[in-house]
Amino acid sequence: MRTALEPWRAESIGLVPTMGALHAGHLSLIAAARAECSTVVMSLFVNPAQFGSSGDLNGYPRDEANDLAVAAEAGVDFVFAPDASEMYPTRFQTWVEVAELGAVLEGAHRPGHFRGVATICLKLFNIVRPDVVYFGQKDAQQVAVLRQLIADLALELELRALPTVRDRDGLALSSRNVRLSPPERTLALTLPRALATRDPESARSLLVEAGLDVDYVEIAPFDPPVLAAAVRVGSTRLIDNVTLEEDS
Ligand code: PAF
């Protein structure tokens, strides 16, 4: 990857980290990178270190051939798609922990998740050495954790967070949505409706009344602050958030 990128380093390199199963949310990140950077790199790696259960990891949707075609069509110049054994060779033992931000909300419900995210992102940043990295605001805590990592470790790159892309019915796009049955999808729509109240108590009532299993609904003091929630619909766990700054 480094050798391939060498001729392009004089101008800007944008990196869009993904786990594949590309949807319109990823395409908005690629489009921003394409508009702002001379060279666009997309990584495609389903990172085992950020999954709690092997069931979730094994069930993660994968279609690399389709992802490569979609990436090429969207104008990605390079796809970096390493094997797990390349990223985590035997005796791998160095982990990055964003201690406080990584331990709340998602971090409290998915212990080790942000350690896996921070470690793989730092490794991707070191391999690609991008000027700008692109992430979706749908994963607001991931954005906050990575901004902290970039500041704490003095990384020389800019993080751009782009707005959540939603289906016409309001459901935030996620690779996990394909797992929802039609009735589950209808139920899942309670999540954006609840968050639209921009009030944690009202949102929780709506979610509980709909019969959803709520992991959390909380105002998270990120920049910008968000009302964030995680719910379970059947066996699928969904997260979403809305920024609160419009209210001020
Ligand atoms: O948001 C994701 O898809 C993943 O968490 C990321 C940033 C690609 C790290 O594996």
Side-chain angles (χ1 to χ4, degrees), residues 133-146:
V133 290
Y134 294 84
F135 290 91
Q137 179 64 22
K138 157 135 188 319
D139 295 302
Q141 190 172 3
Q142 174 167 274
V143 167
V145 163
L146 293 174

Side-chain angles (χ1 to χ4, degrees), residues 62-83:
R62 291 168 212 243
D63 187 350
E64 188 168 316
N66 185 60
D67 288 336
L68 293 179
V70 169
E73 174 73 17
V76 169
D77 298 305
F78 295 94
V79 175
F80 179 54
D83 285 340

Side-chain angles (χ1 to χ4, degrees), residues 170-211:
L171 193 65
L173 295 191
S174 160
S175 306
R176 290 186 169 88
N177 291 355
V178 295
R179 293 191 198 158
L180 298 169
S181 66
E184 285 175 341
R185 196 187 157 95
T186 306
L187 208 51
L189 291 177
T190 315
L191 180 55
R193 286 191 198 124
L195 290 174
T197 64
R198 288 185 157 70
D199 172 64
E201 294 318 315
S202 315
R204 180 176 289 278
S205 304
L206 284 173
L207 292 168
V208 170
E209 274 162 28

Side-chain angles (χ1 to χ4, degrees), residues 17-19 45 47 50 117 120-121 135 139 142:
T18 81
M19 299 205 297
F45 180 62
N47 175 28
Q50 69 187 74
V117 170
I120 201 64
C121 285
F135 290 91
D139 295 302
Q142 174 167 274

Side-chain angles (χ1 to χ4, degrees), residues 99-112:
E100 288 169 31
L101 271 174
V104 296
L105 300 166
E106 280 299 285
H109 288 269
R110 302 179 68 190

